[in-house]
Amino acid sequence: MAEKREHWGSKFGFILAAAGSAIGLGNIWKFPYIAGENGGAAFVFIYLICIAMIGLPVLIAEILLGRTTQRNPVGAFNKLNGRPFWTMVGGIGVLAGFIILSFYSVVAGWSIGYIVEAVKGTFYNYPDAASAGEHFDALVHNAWWVIGYHGLFFILTMIVVYFGVKGGIERGSKIMMPVLFVILIILVIRGVTLEGADKGLTFLWNPDWSKITSQSVLIALGHAFFTLSLGMGAMMTYGSYLSEKDNIPAAALEIVILDTLIALLAGVAIFTAVFATAQDPAVGPGLIFRTLPVVFTKMPGGFLFAILFFLLLTLAALTSAISLLEVVVAFFVDEMNWTRHRAVLVFGFITFLLGVPSALSFNLLADYKLFDHTFFDVMDFLASNILLPVGGFFISIFVAWVWGLDRAVVELKKGAVNLFEKHAGIIRSWKWFLKYLSPVMILIVFLYSIGLIK
Ligand code: PHE
């Protein structure tokens, strides 16, 4: 190995970094718009079930695989099994990291661009839903605007990862995550005190089951993976910097609670604002960019809240993007003996380039469609709704059936002896969920949604 493996400075540092990975555009940008498109509360309910029954068990499994092997996803499977098939499963994870980061950074770039718009006070020129939407369309129609901020976001991501696990990722998360919490709380208070906020809350809590289709169940499942950074080895990689002193089930539970709390709070902040200004919750990926500027122009102190919101979004995206890049970097450091610095520079640049067609999906390539979707949509669908659930499926199968639960439990006990003594039932259910429930549920949802079973 080129360099001695790094470790987190503290358990708290790990929790913040892992929560930072989980909490991202998924929570603040994606969750509200897919909930908006899929009927609100009913979707939220299915999503919460997926998080608790599949997300949490798989998260524990991933962190455990990382800590046990002290390797990136490819190295982890390789070390425990060595069959080419499982190495390939790890490889698909690294590939998914690549793909997600490439389009993720495009949206994160919009967010930086919107901080600039907010500071300039541009939103005041577009005070209603129609013109704010046109403003968004005009910005993303400008290829240079999109690619420029996509590039800037990449540079920020690369800087953090360049400085390593403790000096970059952990230190960055310790600064960014608390700022993020504070900003979100301020925005929630602002949201619920708006006149007409109750309609937004109703939308979020009162289910409309008629909007739920098999496709929306797949989206909820895919999103459970996406939002917890599961199915592609990001949590495995972060777990690989943990030591045997740490209690994995407890850490995983904290990460899940933080992630879910932030998604729900973001939902409250956003839907109260959207409904208070009588806007459409189902406008798709542009939701927060189209609707929130209108809200900001109308509310007292909106100038400041606008800046805070897009700062929040950018920080959340950054702590997630670094975990995506870290997967690819860890692979090249562990398996190819590269130095961290070289891996960051080379793969940062390559992933940036892969993101360019996604950036152009909103302008020059907007009319080029694969299966009726833009390149950006295809990348998102491929990664979130196919690669991540498939990855989660194989991770469950691997731990439960191939590596074996007996061995897994021996490893899991390290750092968690108390839990095993006092709450043996929790461990028993974890085994059961991982062995049967999560693979079977993922399979059913998956086959259903691609039309193989009806
Ligand atoms: N969890 C991140 C979010 O919600 C996205 C992500 C997915 C990060 C997969 C790492 C790995 O925005």
Side-chain angles (χ1 to χ4, degrees):
M1 228 177 287
E3 296 166 19
K4 190 176 169 299
R5 194 168 199 76
E6 296 179 79
H7 282 98
W8 303 106
S10 64
K11 180 182 159 215
F12 183 62
F14 164 72
I15 301 273
L16 280 189
S21 167
I23 298 165
L25 294 176
N27 305 59
I28 304 167
W29 160 73
K30 199 169 183 192
F31 172 68
Y33 95 72
I34 54 180
E37 284 180 335
N38 291 281
F43 178 84
V44 175
F45 184 72
I46 297 175
Y47 155 80
L48 290 177
I49 293 181
C50 293
I51 290 279
M53 308 232 285
I54 304 178
L56 181 60
V58 175
L59 176 59
I60 296 176
E62 265 205 39
I63 300 177
L64 183 68
L65 283 175
R67 183 181 73 177
T68 304
T69 57
Q70 301 279 301
R71 290 279 191 290
N72 68 88
V74 171
F77 284 109
N78 211 354
K79 191 165 169 181
L80 292 176
N81 183 277
R83 293 226 172 80
F85 176 78
W86 292 106
T87 311
M88 189 189 75
V89 171
I92 291 178
V94 177
L95 184 74
F98 244 140
I99 296 179
I100 296 177
L101 183 55
S102 73
F103 73 80
Y104 201 82
S105 158
V106 172
V107 179
W110 299 346
S111 178
I112 304 185
Y114 263 62
I115 300 180
V116 175
E117 297 295 296
V119 171
K120 290 199 301 202
T122 324
F123 298 148
Y124 292 93
N125 304 334
Y126 307 96
D128 56 80
S131 65
E134 280 163 24
H135 178 50
F136 173 74
D137 290 335
L139 288 173
V140 299
H141 216 80
N142 178 346
W144 290 116
W145 187 85
V146 183
I147 291 183
Y149 284 117
H150 162 59
L152 179 61
F153 182 77
F154 245 99
I155 293 173
L156 295 176
T157 307
M158 285 161 68
I159 290 176
V160 180
V161 180
Y162 190 89
F163 285 105
V165 174
K166 205 152 73 179
I169 300 177
E170 183 169 349
R171 192 187 318 154
S173 306
K174 276 188 175 157
I175 302 169
M176 290 188 270
M177 295 308 288
V179 177
L180 184 149
F181 290 127
V182 173
I183 299 179
L184 187 58
I185 298 295
I186 297 175
L187 290 169
V188 168
I189 295 173
R190 179 63 272 199
V192 294
T193 50
L194 287 171
E195 206 174 312
D198 50 318
K199 290 196 216 83
L201 295 175
T202 309
F203 180 72
L204 210 47
W205 308 129
N206 286 358
D208 173 2
W209 295 104
S210 69
K211 290 253 171 62
I212 296 294
T213 61
S214 67
Q215 195 67 17
S216 37
V217 179
L218 178 75
I219 293 175
L221 178 72
H223 189 63
F225 280 99
F226 187 85
T227 190
L228 292 175
S229 309
L230 292 180
M232 46 73 65
M235 289 301 185
M236 222 184 277
T237 307
Y238 272 18
S240 77
Y241 306 123
L242 268 181
S243 80
E244 297 189 340
K245 293 193 308 294
D246 296 310
N247 182 333
I248 293 181
L253 185 64
E254 283 167 40
I255 296 165
V256 166
I257 291 177
L258 283 174
D259 185 74
T260 308
L261 190 72
I262 300 284
L264 295 177
L265 286 176
V268 169
I270 289 162
F271 286 121
T272 49
V274 167
F275 280 87
T277 45
Q279 299 189 73
D280 179 7
V283 293
L287 177 69
I288 57 179
F289 298 95
R290 289 170 184 277
T291 56
L292 292 186
V294 180
V295 182
F296 295 133
T297 59
K298 295 217 167 84
M299 62 166 71
F303 179 78
L304 190 68
F305 287 115
I307 300 174
L308 284 179
F309 178 81
F310 290 107
L311 186 65
L312 163 83
L313 189 63
T314 305
L315 291 180
L318 190 56
T319 53
S320 300
I322 57 184
S323 73
L324 287 161
L325 184 57
E326 181 62 23
V327 174
V328 184
V329 167
F331 169 71
F332 278 88
V333 170
D334 291 346
E335 306 301 314
M336 308 289 168
N337 278 329
W338 282 32
T339 63
R340 164 174 291 275
H341 292 173
R342 178 165 166 216
V344 169
L345 293 175
V346 172
F347 284 93
F349 188 64
I350 294 182
T351 322
F352 163 77
L353 288 183
L354 179 65
V356 169
S358 287
L360 297 182
S361 295
F362 297 89
N363 36 69
L364 302 180
L365 299 181
D367 294 331
Y368 288 86
K369 303 249 164 106
L370 287 152
F371 313 110
D372 209 26
H373 289 287
T374 62
F375 188 81
F376 176 96
D377 294 333
V378 172
M379 289 286 131
D380 184 11
F381 185 80
L382 175 69
S384 317
N385 298 348
I386 299 188
L387 294 180
L388 298 187
V390 168
F393 174 79
F394 282 119
I395 288 167
S396 314
I397 296 285
F398 183 81
V399 172
W401 298 92
V402 180
W403 183 37
L405 284 169
D406 293 342
R407 265 173 283 191
V409 163
V410 172
E411 288 295 329
L412 195 62
K413 230 182 200 156
K414 296 178 182 163
V417 179
N418 257 341
L419 183 78
F420 274 77
E421 280 166 6
K422 294 207 189 101
H423 303 284
I426 297 185
I427 304 297
R428 237 178 291 127
S429 11
W430 174 71
K431 294 205 284 197
W432 192 84
F433 276 54
L434 206 63
K435 199 163 178 181
Y436 305 108
L437 194 77
S438 103
V440 170
M441 276 189 35
I442 299 172
L443 202 65
I444 293 178
V445 172
F446 198 70
L447 295 180
Y448 212 99
S449 68
I450 56 175
L452 284 184
I453 50 177
K454 289 221 167 65

